[in-house]
Amino acid sequence: MGFFQRLREGGTTADYQALLERIPYARFLGITLDTIGEQGLVIRLVFDRRLIGNPHLPAIHGGVIGAFLEFAAILELVHQGEGEALPKPIDLTIDYLRSAKPDDVLARAIITKHGRRVANVRVEAWQGTPDRLVAAAHGHFLMPSGGDHAE
Amino acid sequence: MSKRPVLELVGENKQLLISHIPHAQAIGLTVVDARPDEAWLKVPYGEHLVGNPETGVVHGGVITTLLDNAAGTAVIAALEDARSIATLDLRIDYMKPATPRRDIIGYCHCYKVTRRIAFVRGVAYHDTPDEPIATMVAAFMVGANRSLPAVYMSGA
């Protein structure tokens, strides 16, 4: 059984954390697994001064927020998908709703449609309470075929 | 507030357009060139930017950050005076994975500015925009808040 399959069958937050720590860019940004709930995974962007894009507000860089939303989508697809490769982004549309303050950000993804080859995903990111969204995104991802290591 | 275009204020030192941005520094972004309405930024390859450790390909979020920042710089280069901007939305299409161990260029063109909104198109590539890694469209709010980098207000 592959690593991703073991994750899906009873993976703990520590197991998902281990996956994130295998991805250099997730480590660099400071992305951690927050909770695993019935509605899926919630991930956390731990604030660091290096993430600032507008030092005068201050606010986290819009590109970092985009990257964080993409991570939320990819992890949820690993969580609910199949196969042993990471899904590949096809497109992503990000709406910036508020400036992200110098504090942690949380995000979760909802898989709108899980096709055989392509998945459609929506993502929301917030600070403080989940109704206080800082950004939302939707996008398409190319799914690895089940059990196939190719691509 | 200066009425001179920001490009004139920074003169030859175009890196000043982004040097105040901590995250641009953190990933090593440099301004390759900037002209009225246009900007070229570069992100150097780095192991810490890798999204897939098996292939060594940088994460899509790095491309998003490069293009978001290049788009913002193109808007600043298009404005007739120094004004704050904020990204409203940004769509990115991924054409092909970036080649490991190669730098990536992000080129953006601010093709329309209204009183409150700026519209931008962009592309990320290694050698030529005809072989895109990703393309982007974005809209920015102009005069979104009161934040202005010091460089944009100097030399008034």
Side-chain angles (χ1 to χ4, degrees):
Chain A
M1 189 190 295
F3 180 76
F4 286 5
Q5 190 58 31
R6 285 203 302 279
L7 268 185
R8 285 175 209 118
E9 297 179 7
T12 63
T13 52
D15 295 329
Y16 278 96
Q17 187 63 42
L19 170 62
L20 280 166
E21 280 166 16
R22 277 166 40 161
I23 303 173
Y25 186 56
R27 277 203 311 272
F28 173 71
L29 291 181
I31 296 175
T32 61
L33 200 285
D34 192 66
T35 49
I36 303 176
E38 289 193 4
Q39 293 177 355
L41 308 175
V42 174
I43 63 169
R44 177 181 293 268
L45 178 68
V46 178
F47 176 72
D48 186 280
R49 201 198 148 271
R50 287 179 312 148
L51 305 180
I52 293 284
N54 182 330
H56 303 274
L57 286 175
I60 296 174
H61 198 290
V64 171
I65 296 295
F68 179 56
L69 291 163
E70 189 175 316
F71 267 111
I74 287 173
L75 274 150
E76 189 62 36
L77 287 167
V78 168
H79 183 57
Q80 293 195 30
E82 46 190 52
E84 287 293 325
L86 289 170
K88 292 181 176 175
I90 301 167
D91 59 61
L92 191 70
T93 303
I94 305 150
D95 292 322
Y96 294 95
L97 305 170
R98 288 184 178 85
S99 65
K101 296 178 170 44
D103 197 357
D104 290 5
V105 190
L106 294 159
R108 75 164 142 245
I110 296 158
I111 300 175
T112 318
K113 187 192 170 199
H114 205 313
R116 208 154 47 84
R117 294 296 288 157
V118 173
N120 181 299
V121 186
R122 292 181 180 278
V123 197
E124 292 180 343
W126 67 91
Q127 290 182 308
T129 54
D131 61 346
R132 198 165 172 79
L133 295 182
V134 296
H138 63 95
H140 294 92
F141 290 80
L142 195 59
M143 300 303 294
S145 40
D148 185 2
H149 286 258
E151 289 196 330
Chain B
M1 186 188 295
S2 168
K3 290 294 175 190
R4 293 166 61 198
V6 172
L7 278 182
E8 278 182 37
L9 291 177
V10 301
E12 289 301 302
N13 190 359
K14 291 175 178 170
Q15 188 64 22
L16 281 178
L17 290 165
I18 64 167
S19 58
H20 59 284
I21 302 173
H23 192 66
Q25 304 262 19
I27 64 168
L29 284 186
T30 54
V31 178
V32 177
D33 200 3
R35 299 177 200 162
D37 310 338
E38 294 178 291
W40 290 257
L41 266 56
K42 180 170 80 178
V43 61
Y45 183 79
E47 299 290 340
H48 56 294
L49 304 180
V50 166
N52 187 334
E54 289 178 17
T55 60
V57 172
V58 299
H59 192 271
V62 177
I63 317 273
T64 305
T65 301
L66 169 70
L67 286 172
D68 179 41
N69 217 135
T73 307
V75 175
I76 293 292
L79 296 177
E80 291 185 1
D81 55 10
R83 300 173 73 184
S84 66
I85 59 166
T87 320
L88 276 179
D89 71 359
L90 183 156
R91 174 189 165 119
I92 185 155
D93 291 88
Y94 296 104
M95 314 280 143
K96 65 171 185 184
T99 305
R101 287 169 293 283
R102 294 203 65 191
D103 300 346
I104 304 166
I105 305 287
Y107 163 72
C108 284
H109 176 213
C110 178
Y111 60 94
K112 176 70 183 174
V113 181
T114 71
R115 207 161 58 83
R116 305 300 292 271
I117 307 294
F119 300 89
V120 188
R121 279 189 286 255
V123 60
Y125 59 92
H126 291 303
D127 296 313
T128 155
D130 297 336
E131 295 170 18
I133 297 163
T135 60
M136 179 220 73
V137 288
F140 284 73
M141 204 165 160
V142 177
N145 52 60
R146 293 178 182 195
S147 69
L148 275 179
V151 60
Y152 300 165
M153 291 185 281
S154 64

